[in-house]
Structure formats: C-alpha cells, structure tokens
Amino acid sequence: MPTVAMPQSKPRTAANTPPAPPFVPPPTFFDGSWTDGKGDSAKNARIRSYRPADRPQIIHWRYMFNAALIMLDVAMMLLACLLSLFLQPGIGNAINGEFERHGSLIVPLIFAAVWVLSLWIAQSYRIHTMGEGYGLYTKILNAALIFFVSLCTIGYLFEIDFPRLFSIMATFFGWIFTMIERWLMRRMLHKNRMHGENTYPTVIVGSPAGIRKAIHNLTTEPGNAMGYLPIAVCPITSITLEADPDAPQHLAPVPFEPLDEQEAKLKVLPLNSRMPQMAKKLGANAVLVTDVMTRDSETLRTLSLAVESMGIELAIAASVADISGGRMQLRNNSAMPILTASLPQYSWPTRFVKRTLDIFFSCLALIVAAIPLAIVAALVKLEDGGPVIYKQNRIGQYGVPFKVYKIRSMRVDADKMDVALAQQAGVEHGILFKQKDDPRITKIGHFIRKTSIDELPQFLNVLKGDMSIVGPRPQQQYEVDQYGTLYSSRLLVKPGITGPWQISGRSDLSQEEAEYLDVSYVENWSVTTDIAIMLKTAGAIVHGSGAY
C-alpha cells in the first residue's frame, strides 16, 4: 500500500523557527452531499429544481439475455422429451393413458416448467454465471439432479405416474442439450464482449499502478470473459502517520497520467461521496476496488453501501474484500480473482414493492386521519392564531433538501431559539439535540407530540416521494454537516416517518445508539422489516417513550 510519510515537527527553541503545525488528516469521504454537484446544492434556498437519480441501475441487456436463455432452456427440454418419445414409442401410450388424452403434450410442458425452475434454483440465471466456465456446468448438473428429484416429488404428492424410463431419459438428454446450448451461448457472449458488447461499464478505484494492472488483466482473454469494461478511474493513495501505524486510514486523490490512448479515454473521478452518483450518471454498472483500501477501512464500508444502494455492483480484488452486510460471490477467474458484493434489498423489484406500500399506506392513513387532523388543526389555530402547518428544510436522500410538513407544536419563532436553548442547557447544538420540557412547546403541542399526531402531514411528503414511511428520521443541514464517513450512509435511503429510532427510544437514545441503528437499517432493511417496524410503531406511540 503506498504511504505518504508526513514530516515530524521539531522541538521549539530560540534557535529555530516555530514548529510546523500538526498534521491534519484530509477530509472524510463524505463531503456534505451524495449528489454529483449539479443542480441545487443542499444549502440552496430554492428547494428541488434538481433530484439525483435514485432509481437502481438496470442492466437491460442481461434481462434480455436471461430471457433468451429461458426460452432456449424450455426448447432443450421439449427437444429432450421429443427424443425420448421417439426412442421409446411405447412411452407415449403410457403417458396418454395416465392423462386420458393430450398427455404427450401436457407432460413435456410440465417437464419444461420444472426444468427452468430447477435451473433457477441452481442459480444458473444469476449475474456473472455465464462467465464462470466450469462453475456454469456444475450448476447445470445440479439442476439436473434437482429436476429429477422434483419429478419424483411431484409424482408422489399428486399421484401422477410419470414413466420412470421417460423421466430418466428426459433428465439425461435435457442436461446434455442444455450443456451444449449454454456452451454456444457462452461463446457468443465472449465474442460480443471482445467487441465491447454485453459488458458492465466499470469504474476502477485504486492506486495508479493497481488501476493499470486491472485494466491489463481485464483485457486478456480470461479477463475479457468477466465482462468488466473500464470507463472511468478513481486514483487514490493512502496517507498514514509514521508515528502511529494503527491510526485510521485516510485516502487522498492522486493524479492519473494516461500512458496510452486507451487510458486517455477514461474519465477521472474524485474520491468523495459524490463519486457514486457520478459513476451512475456515466452509466456504470460496477465499481471495482483494486488496492489501497484496507479491509477495515471505514471508507470501503461506506463506499460499498453507497454504490450497492444505487443498484451498482461493488467488485473487489480478493486481497481487499471484507464487506459486511452485502451478499458475497467469488469470481475465481485466472486473470484476476474478484469478490462481488451486492445488497439484494436494493434491487428494483424490492424498491417497487416498497414504493407501492408507501403510496397505499399513505393514502389509507390520510383518509383515516382526516377528521382527527381537522380537529387538531382547529385547536392549534385557536391557541395562538399562528399557522397550522409548519414547514422546515430537511435533508433527504443523497443530501437533497426538501420541505417537511408537520402540524406546528411550538411557538412561531421556535427555530430562532435553538442555539440559545442549547447553551442554556449546557449541551452542544448538534445531532439529536432535543430538550425535555422545552418552553417553546405549546399546550396542544405536548399532546400531539406525545401521540405523534404532529407527524401525520408527512404522509404528503411520502406521496411526493421526498420520504418513505420507514427510514431514518429526516435531519437538518447543521446536523448533516457533522456527519462522519460511515454515518453519512443514512442519506442513501429516503428518510422516514418512523424507523428504528422511533421504536427504540426516540430522543432517549444516545448519539452512538442512534447512529448504529441508522447504519444498520441502511445495510439490512427489507420489506418485511419495514412492516415489522410499522407494527411496532403503534406500540411506541401508545407508550410514548422518548417522545418530547
């Protein structure tokens, strides 16, 4: 790992100059925003003329390729059944007798459906499978075993007497034909990749030497089969203090001087939190880390969350990889062994389900709460004559600001008193600052805060797409400005009306506990987890713990 030695300060004496200032580590990976810097910044007063791309990256050619594989797999099994019937004509009569009529048509269709399902269970349609070589053929053999066992199970459960000889012959011929089909498709895929087609546009992160080595490896015949096509680089180096080798790793960008025409075509991206969005705008499907980053690097963990949450695959040289939370897969290629990491919950089907549930439950909540909201709105208006709805700038997904809606529970000038109250309480006005017995809260405000009625208008934010029902709570800009590298990953998901913070003590949590819950949610959320959190939120509202 390249290391930059930092000069040591000399003792101050009358005979020499003042000592050099102590070394200050460079800024963290998170520089205040996850956007690529275009459009309105997080501090711009005009809200949302720009929204970053928050849709997961979809590799269209791979879905078309898998669709073609499925159709060919069906054809191979139908061909296997046809050959079996041709070699043993008497089997057809037995099948027709079992199904009364049209058995010779029905049974091959059942076999074809079970065959495709078996191939799916054996993970033969999984990403990168067609580039695995012998690993692909092992999966097809496993699928054949699954297929035969499935036929026996279906026959036993539904009392269908599939002719044994026919089942054995169909399994064997289906396996042989599919092996040949996949071999031909794999050759076609590799040929296309030699011409730059059916590839994964990739951003390579590492030292200049590591980047060049990766580019060379990926252009060899075995490396080309992996399908990673370099489109951009992110050259970095590691800065450590010689006096403290165990200090946290700090990464800094370095120049990348192209040595040939191929390298001159590559974009150079900076190492900061805007890099994943820049990579996505370039159409990248993968980010490949070659070296420099250590396994315990906080930046590597944060980068993995950032790119995977955008539907971009994180590929890591086997010597570097140690990613928590992601689903790991080893690509043991002779040119360059690589581990890939992915978070399945950030796939587009899962996001679609989450968004659908957000819209459904938001509409339901607004309809059910319409009358209580009208009563509370009248009480708020009658108490001091101020506005009912309180709007405040909050920071949303990728650091983009938005207006959050709440029923006002404080005095009209409450925002101007934040810093003074923090000083009066002797605490820092920062992340998670909230005061018990806050003098700014109105009489009706205590009730609507205790019951969380003040947050019901945020369902409008959910319908607009600013928030989700479940997620980390939306925070203000001054809180975001204090984020560390790992904690900034909470901006990779939409903020929520409720979340782990809401059901785990709310304002009674320490900053460390709240940060842990947020990062853990980003790594591990799922649709079922969201539903469980929504159910537990009802209990948290009834008990009112931490609500003030």
Side-chain angles (χ1 to χ4, degrees):
M1 179 193 308
T3 301
V4 178
M6 304 308 299
Q8 302 297 313
S9 301
K10 297 180 180 180
R12 181 168 185 172
T13 65
N16 60 23
T17 57
F23 169 62
V24 178
T28 63
F29 175 77
F30 181 65
D31 66 354
S33 176
W34 288 102
T35 67
D36 64 358
K38 297 178 181 179
D40 287 345
S41 68
K43 296 182 180 179
N44 197 323
R46 293 184 304 166
I47 303 300
R48 189 93 61 80
S49 64
Y50 164 77
R51 179 190 289 273
D54 58 357
R55 296 179 180 177
Q57 201 78 302
I58 297 177
I59 308 171
H60 297 283
W61 72 261
R62 188 167 69 85
Y63 286 99
M64 297 297 294
F65 191 84
N66 274 348
L69 287 179
I70 291 173
M71 290 187 288
L72 289 171
D73 293 337
V74 168
M76 293 304 102
M77 180 49 67
L78 293 177
L79 182 61
C81 292
L82 183 63
L83 181 60
S84 301
L85 290 172
F86 176 79
L87 294 177
Q88 293 289 333
I91 295 178
N93 295 329
I95 293 175
N96 288 329
E98 178 69 21
F99 285 85
E100 296 182 359
R101 58 180 180 176
H102 305 306
S104 297
L105 294 176
I106 296 173
V107 170
L109 292 176
I110 294 174
F111 277 33
V114 176
W115 180 235
V116 170
L117 180 61
S118 301
L119 288 168
W120 177 77
I121 294 172
Q123 299 184 341
S124 71
Y125 299 115
R126 192 173 177 181
I127 186 172
H128 301 312
T129 296
M130 292 301 290
E132 289 182 353
Y134 70 87
L136 166 64
Y137 307 122
T138 301
K139 291 178 178 179
I140 297 175
L141 177 58
N142 292 337
L145 297 175
I146 295 171
F147 174 75
F148 186 75
V149 172
S150 299
L151 290 183
C152 296
T153 304
I154 292 172
Y156 175 78
L157 293 177
F158 297 96
E159 299 181 353
I160 300 174
D161 187 16
F162 293 125
R164 292 176 180 81
L165 182 59
F166 179 72
S167 299
I168 294 172
M169 292 176 68
T171 302
F172 177 75
F173 289 132
W175 170 56
I176 294 296
F177 292 160
T178 304
M179 292 275 283
I180 297 172
E181 168 233 319
R182 292 299 182 96
W183 179 75
L184 292 173
M185 291 294 287
R186 188 167 180 265
R187 284 178 62 88
M188 184 194 74
L189 179 64
H190 291 179
K191 184 177 179 180
N192 290 347
R193 286 177 171 173
M194 291 292 291
H195 294 90
E197 301 174 0
N198 302 142
T199 57
Y200 304 100
T202 303
V203 177
I204 304 179
V205 181
S207 66
I211 290 173
R212 290 191 175 95
K213 182 179 179 181
I215 293 174
H216 170 73
N217 290 338
L218 294 175
T219 53
T220 62
E221 185 174 349
N224 180 73
M226 303 180 78
Y228 293 116
L229 178 66
I231 60 170
V233 297
C234 180
I236 58 175
T237 189
S238 175
I239 299 177
T240 59
L241 288 171
E242 286 186 345
D244 187 8
D246 296 326
Q249 183 186 39
H250 295 283
L251 303 173
V254 293
F256 182 79
E257 299 295 337
L259 300 181
D260 53 37
E261 185 177 350
Q262 180 186 16
E263 292 183 2
K265 295 179 180 179
L266 301 176
K267 301 283 187 180
V268 179
L269 304 183
L271 179 71
N272 55 38
S273 55
R274 303 171 192 269
M275 188 269 280
Q277 276 284 347
M278 294 180 184
K280 190 165 186 176
K281 292 294 179 64
L282 290 175
N285 297 143
V287 172
L288 171 60
V289 179
T290 62
D291 57 2
V292 179
M293 293 189 187
T294 58
R295 291 184 300 173
D296 58 349
S297 169
E298 190 177 69
T299 301
L300 179 58
R301 185 180 176 191
T302 307
L303 178 64
S304 72
L305 290 173
V307 299
E308 292 167 46
S309 69
M310 297 179 189
I312 300 176
E313 176 188 81
L314 181 68
I316 315 149
S319 59
V320 176
D322 185 17
I323 304 299
S324 63
R327 181 176 62 187
M328 305 298 293
Q329 177 185 2
L330 175 63
R331 305 192 65 192
N332 198 11
N333 188 281
S334 60
M336 188 177 183
I338 287 177
L339 277 168
T340 62
S342 62
L343 292 172
Q345 67 268 35
Y346 287 98
S347 63
W348 71 265
T350 308
R351 290 197 183 203
F352 176 78
V353 172
K354 182 178 174 70
R355 181 59 182 155
T356 302
L357 292 176
D358 280 346
I359 295 174
F360 173 77
F361 284 114
S362 294
C363 292
L364 182 63
L366 290 172
I367 293 172
V368 172
I371 295 177
L373 277 174
I375 296 172
V376 169
L379 293 174
V380 171
K381 190 70 175 179
L382 288 172
E383 182 167 353
D384 59 10
V388 173
I389 298 297
Y390 171 71
K391 299 178 183 179
Q392 188 181 52
N393 287 354
R394 295 294 177 102
I395 306 302
Q397 189 178 26
Y398 304 134
V400 175
F402 69 97
K403 294 283 189 182
V404 68
Y405 305 129
K406 300 182 74 173
I407 295 180
R408 185 173 56 85
S409 60
M410 289 187 172
R411 292 167 43 179
V412 177
D413 59 348
D415 285 348
K416 301 176 182 179
M417 304 171 64
D418 275 350
V419 177
L421 277 175
Q423 293 175 347
Q424 187 178 15
V427 297
E428 183 181 357
H429 179 236
I431 299 176
L432 301 182
F433 167 69
K434 215 169 184 183
Q435 185 177 0
K436 286 186 177 181
D437 301 320
D438 195 318
R440 299 171 298 173
I441 300 178
T442 61
K443 293 179 181 179
I444 186 62
H446 285 288
F447 170 74
I448 63 176
R449 280 181 165 232
K450 194 75 172 178
T451 55
S452 296
I453 293 176
D454 62 322
E455 297 181 357
L456 288 177
Q458 291 176 28
F459 284 108
L460 295 173
N461 288 114
V462 175
L463 291 177
K464 289 176 61 180
D466 298 325
M467 297 175 63
S468 177
I469 292 179
V470 181
R473 74 183 187 93
Q475 295 187 326
Q476 299 183 59
Q477 184 63 54
Y478 73 85
E479 296 174 293
V480 174
D481 291 340
Q482 301 176 55
Y483 285 179
T485 295
L486 185 58
Y487 191 46
S488 68
S489 63
R490 77 192 303 278
L491 295 177
L492 297 172
V493 297
K494 291 180 181 179
I497 298 175
T498 185
W501 175 82
Q502 182 87 8
I503 63 174
S504 302
R506 301 174 75 171
S507 299
D508 290 335
L509 293 173
S510 68
Q511 180 174 331
E512 291 75 16
E513 291 170 331
E515 290 185 4
Y516 172 81
L517 289 173
D518 285 344
V519 175
S520 179
Y521 177 81
V522 174
E523 287 182 325
N524 303 301
W525 75 265
S526 65
V527 173
T528 52
T529 300
D530 282 2
I531 294 174
I533 289 175
M534 284 190 280
L535 293 175
K536 292 186 70 174
T537 299
I541 292 174
V542 171
H543 290 92
S545 57
Y548 48 82

